[in-house]
Amino acid sequence: MWKLVFAHGVLIIAASAFAQSPQPSASHDEKDAAELTRLESVWNDAHLRSDAVTLERLWADDLIVQVTNMRVLSKADALEMLRSGHMKFKRYETTDLRIRVYGDAAVVTGQLERTRDLNARNVHDRWRFTKVYVRRANKWQVVTWHASTLDQ
């Protein structure tokens, strides 16, 4: 934004630095939040269907997964576990979602309840989670997911 100032008989033309750096609009943030909310549903549904193809697209190549009572997993590790068939989800539901967007990064937090068959044993988990998404080439992907046991 240019500013014209007439002072002491001299015309001064100045540019405002603040006008040069566009701020994200509320509608832009709302669109990102809506897309991230949709991707959270995609995540949940893909786990229920054991849909490794969808999760492979949603997860960044440098994905790191850290969850209670498990070793740290890479994308390849997590996909291998899902494809092995040793674990089948019966329930995968998130609540208390909070989404914060920071430009091309976003943090999603919430609670997760899931029930799964693990090697013919029924396991119920109730966790609090944090996911970090990064937007690359106009596409949001999860780069890290951390979950810890929620006190009963």
Side-chain angles (χ1 to χ4, degrees):
M1 170 186 232
W2 292 98
K3 187 175 186 180
L4 299 176
V5 177
F6 194 76
H8 304 287
V10 178
L11 180 62
I12 300 170
I13 302 173
S16 170
F18 295 108
Q20 299 301 322
S21 52
Q23 299 297 316
S25 67
S27 63
H28 182 71
D29 288 347
E30 290 169 7
K31 287 179 185 175
D32 286 336
E35 175 62 5
L36 291 162
T37 299
R38 185 188 74 78
L39 291 174
E40 285 297 297
S41 292
V42 168
W43 171 290
N44 293 353
D45 292 343
H47 278 85
L48 282 171
R49 293 188 325 268
S50 299
D51 184 353
V53 172
T54 295
L55 290 171
E56 187 170 13
R57 284 193 307 261
L58 183 57
W59 295 343
D61 288 340
D62 55 345
L63 173 75
I64 297 295
V65 177
Q66 295 177 297
V67 297
T68 299
N69 299 324
M70 287 183 61
R71 67 182 172 85
V72 176
L73 302 174
S74 68
K75 178 179 181 175
D77 296 331
L79 287 170
E80 181 181 325
M81 182 179 291
L82 187 66
R83 288 177 174 142
S84 73
H86 296 296
M87 181 171 51
K88 175 75 175 153
F89 292 100
K90 294 180 174 184
R91 178 182 183 195
Y92 204 102
E93 296 176 17
T94 53
T95 58
D96 194 27
L97 284 182
R98 182 167 179 212
I99 298 171
R100 292 165 303 198
V101 179
Y102 305 99
D104 287 336
V107 177
V108 177
T109 59
Q111 292 183 35
L112 168 64
E113 285 202 50
R114 64 186 204 168
T115 304
R116 57 199 163 110
D117 284 333
L118 180 61
N119 295 323
R121 196 182 84 206
N122 194 37
V123 179
H124 181 77
D125 302 306
R126 189 166 178 254
W127 291 344
R128 171 143 306 273
F129 72 89
T130 302
K131 282 186 197 138
V132 177
Y133 284 83
V134 174
R135 181 175 22 216
R136 296 175 177 151
N138 267 344
K139 180 177 157 187
W140 288 104
Q141 289 187 306
V142 178
V143 293
T144 190
W145 184 59
H146 176 268
S148 55
T149 303
L150 191 62
D151 294 331
Q152 298 291 329

